[in-house]
Amino acid sequence: MSIELVVADPRVGARDALRHIIEGWGWTVVGEADDALEAVRLARELTPDALLLDSTAGDLDVEEMFAMGPPGTRPLVVRLIDQPQQHASSATVTVLKGVPGDRLHSLISDALEQHASSEASRVGAR
């Protein structure tokens, strides 16, 4: 399964590290951004399967920005957080930073399956 992601983090080194991990899984980073707004712009242009946002990339309500888009075009949003108390909307997968790479892979893979089913239902409902 070929998975494409956009990665957003204001730190170049962190984006490089995430790219290395993601490409090790056989997935592709199709775009990189240093903030959430740029990540949304790239995601609209590149239509990745998922958008991986570091909590430091901004508090923009990314999910809301995609909610009005055509069915089947919303990427899965995965937020990397610093502390368990941080949270995001229910439409977002939230992962504590520092989780081992294999666990992150598993969480994103499972969430992508659920997201695909949800998007298919959304398409069928229109």
Side-chain angles (χ1 to χ4, degrees):
M1 176 199 249
S2 176
I3 302 296
E4 295 181 342
L5 295 96
V6 167
V7 174
D9 192 305
R11 300 158 299 178
V12 174
R15 289 195 311 265
D16 289 344
L18 285 168
R19 175 184 286 278
H20 178 74
I21 291 167
I22 291 165
E23 290 176 347
W25 301 334
W27 296 355
T28 305
V29 174
V30 293
E32 295 183 20
D34 42 343
D35 63 38
L37 188 58
E38 177 66 7
V40 168
R41 187 194 69 73
L42 284 172
R44 284 184 172 155
E45 177 185 328
L46 303 170
T47 63
D49 300 293
L51 182 53
L52 188 58
L53 294 170
D54 187 270
S55 61
T56 60
D59 290 334
L60 188 65
D61 189 348
V62 173
E63 298 79 9
E64 186 63 29
M65 295 184 82
F66 286 109
M68 297 313 216
T73 62
R74 296 187 311 172
L76 170 71
V77 177
V78 180
R79 288 202 186 256
L80 299 174
I81 59 172
D82 295 304
Q83 302 172 16
Q85 305 91 299
Q86 292 175 303
H87 64 282
S89 81
S90 59
T92 303
V93 175
T94 306
V95 179
L96 192 60
K97 291 179 189 175
V99 68
D102 59 340
R103 179 71 178 131
L104 180 61
H105 178 266
S106 191
L107 289 167
I108 295 173
S109 294
D110 292 348
L112 279 167
E113 285 182 31
Q114 292 175 0
H115 182 72
S117 294
S118 173
E119 284 295 285
S121 296
R122 190 171 168 246
V123 169
R126 291 206 174 187

